[in-house]
Amino acid sequence: GYTNPAGHPSKLIFLERPVQFVEYLAIYMARPIIFDYLVGLISAAIFFSLVVFLTCYIYKKRKTSLFTDLLPWLCLALYSGLAAVSTDLSRLGFGVTQAYSSRYVTLSNLFLIAVCVGLFKVIETVKIKDKMGVAIKYTCIACVAGITVLVGVNYIKGIEQMSHQHDHLEKAKHCAIHATSPDDACLLILYPNKPVVWERLQYLRTKGCGGTVE
């Protein structure tokens, strides 16, 4: 009996925009290590190349203890991936940049954690008997170092965004307390529909929140 909410795009829009579907998915999954749209696409491409390499390597070792040890982490990565697909199907119509929403990092972080565990496990178990072994080991080390740097940069960017959000919320708070009519321009800071936000603001005021009832 599910009904698509009014104003929400169709769940089948990915059939019309397959490229954007893949782009949204890549940004969503790589969000913990990306902080800019253009840089994001490049980082996501490199990140998923790493994921493909890691997946192939683990599959090749599927009859060894490496695969058994990593199985729980693979399941965690699969869970995160399915959550990403679900969000992509539901939100693609709002635009690819919506995939940058910070609330999605909670789930995409699980995928990144699984990837890092896989890299550490490969570093731990790979045998340096030839040039291939050396290349795999040091490539994985370089990837871990790169992910660490990107997460750090993203963390700093996040702090800056939190500061901007704090300023925005202070303006919203001031408006909620001091707005005097449904025509007050500042109401658009709280919600994109002034009559609706005014009605809700009046309700909050009757409960002792947000100034006095007009």
Side-chain angles (χ1 to χ4, degrees):
Y2 176 80
T3 302
N4 204 46
H8 277 235
S10 168
K11 302 295 186 292
L12 299 177
I13 199 169
F14 73 97
L15 296 174
E16 303 172 12
R17 307 178 186 174
V19 175
Q20 287 83 358
F21 176 82
V22 173
E23 191 177 342
Y24 188 108
L25 187 65
I27 292 171
Y28 181 111
M29 297 298 290
R31 180 64 179 85
I33 61 171
I34 60 179
F35 46 86
D36 178 81
Y37 184 73
L38 182 59
V39 175
L41 293 178
I42 299 172
S43 299
I46 296 172
F47 180 65
F48 280 98
S49 297
L50 169 63
V51 171
V52 170
F53 160 75
L54 197 57
T55 301
C56 293
Y57 184 84
I58 293 172
Y59 178 78
K60 184 179 179 181
K61 302 290 184 179
R62 65 188 182 281
K63 294 182 180 180
T64 68
S65 60
L66 174 65
F67 181 82
T68 304
D69 291 343
L70 289 177
L71 189 56
W73 300 99
L74 294 173
C75 293
L76 189 67
L78 179 61
Y79 167 75
S80 179
L82 291 175
V85 172
S86 175
T87 304
D88 196 350
L89 292 173
S90 300
R91 300 286 179 171
L92 180 60
F94 294 115
V96 172
T97 54
Q98 207 265 342
Y100 282 92
S101 297
S102 59
R103 61 182 177 272
Y104 299 145
V105 176
T106 305
L107 287 171
S108 56
N109 257 334
L110 301 179
F111 190 84
L112 180 64
I113 290 169
V115 170
C116 288
V117 171
L119 288 171
F120 280 118
K121 197 66 181 176
V122 172
I123 293 170
E124 176 188 332
T125 58
V126 68
K127 292 180 170 52
I128 306 180
K129 293 182 177 179
D130 51 30
K131 291 183 179 179
M132 180 61 71
V134 172
I136 291 174
K137 189 179 187 73
Y138 285 101
T139 297
C140 290
I141 292 173
C143 289
V144 170
I147 288 173
T148 302
V149 170
L150 289 173
V151 168
V153 173
N154 208 12
Y155 188 83
I156 294 171
K157 289 284 185 179
I159 293 175
E160 293 175 357
Q161 291 170 359
M162 287 172 63
S163 177
H164 294 317
Q165 180 69 358
H166 174 266
D167 294 340
H168 172 78
L169 292 176
E170 283 293 332
K171 293 178 182 177
K173 176 184 175 182
H174 183 272
C175 179
I177 294 174
H178 298 288
T180 57
S181 78
D183 296 322
D184 199 317
C186 80
L187 292 175
L188 294 175
I189 298 175
L190 297 165
Y191 194 72
N193 186 316
K194 287 196 287 188
V196 171
V197 73
W198 179 252
E199 178 184 351
R200 295 175 183 177
L201 182 57
Q202 293 301 93
Y203 171 78
L204 288 175
R205 289 175 173 179
T206 64
K207 301 301 180 182
C209 303
T212 57
V213 179
E214 295 295 332

